[in-house]
């Protein structure tokens, strides 16, 4: 798998706002959105406020995206806050209360 070419840093981060439940079967479209966004942007803000369920495969997506690019998680739902806290990922992933704060960080 090739990684997208990085663009100039003045290009704002892409904002992606997935909604609903995310597991192994529902992740491919979100992965495709992230991959597409990274062809024109230097990173991704993931607005997670609309996520009602996320399993370990979603967490894996977050971790691999974090390794690839500037990932900022914005407006985490209780589900996402709990998932990140349980595994300690909230200590190293960049999590912001709002999309605006993530954009301005």
């Amino acid at each position: 798998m090739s990684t997208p070419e990085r663009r100039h840093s003045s290009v704002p981060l892409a904002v992606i706002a997935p909604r609903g439940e995310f597991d192994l079967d529902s992740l491919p479209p979100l992965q495709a959105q992230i991959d597409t966004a990274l062809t024109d942007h230097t990173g991704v803000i993931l607005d997670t406020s609309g996520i009602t369920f996320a399993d370990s495969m979603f967490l894996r997506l977050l971790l691999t995206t974090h390794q690839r690019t500037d990932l900022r998680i914005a407006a985490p739902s209780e589900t996402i806050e709990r998932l990140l806290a349980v595994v300690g990922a909230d200590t190293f992933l960049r999590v912001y209360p709002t999309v605006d704060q993530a954009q301005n960080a």
Side-chain angles (χ1 to χ4, degrees):
M1 179 173 147
S2 64
T3 50
E5 177 183 331
R6 299 276 170 109
R7 304 287 183 199
H8 190 269
S9 63
S10 66
V11 176
L13 299 175
V15 177
I16 299 173
R19 300 284 180 248
E21 298 182 356
F22 290 90
D23 58 19
L24 177 63
D25 295 328
S26 59
L27 279 177
L30 178 56
Q31 178 68 64
Q33 264 190 301
I34 292 169
D35 293 342
T36 299
L38 291 178
T39 62
D40 294 321
H41 301 277
T42 59
V44 173
I45 296 172
L46 198 60
D47 175 353
T48 60
S49 61
I51 296 178
T52 57
F53 173 81
D55 68 3
S56 61
M57 293 307 295
F58 179 82
L59 179 62
R60 182 175 182 262
L61 174 66
L62 292 181
L63 297 176
T64 57
T65 303
H66 168 73
Q67 290 176 331
R68 290 176 56 198
T69 193
D70 180 3
L71 171 65
R72 300 177 192 183
I73 300 167
S77 64
E78 282 185 39
T79 298
I80 299 303
E81 285 181 338
R82 187 171 38 256
L83 178 66
L84 298 179
V86 164
V87 298
D90 58 344
T91 62
F92 61 87
L93 291 177
R94 298 172 71 188
V95 181
Y96 300 90
T98 67
V99 172
D100 286 340
Q101 287 176 322
Q103 289 173 324
N104 295 322

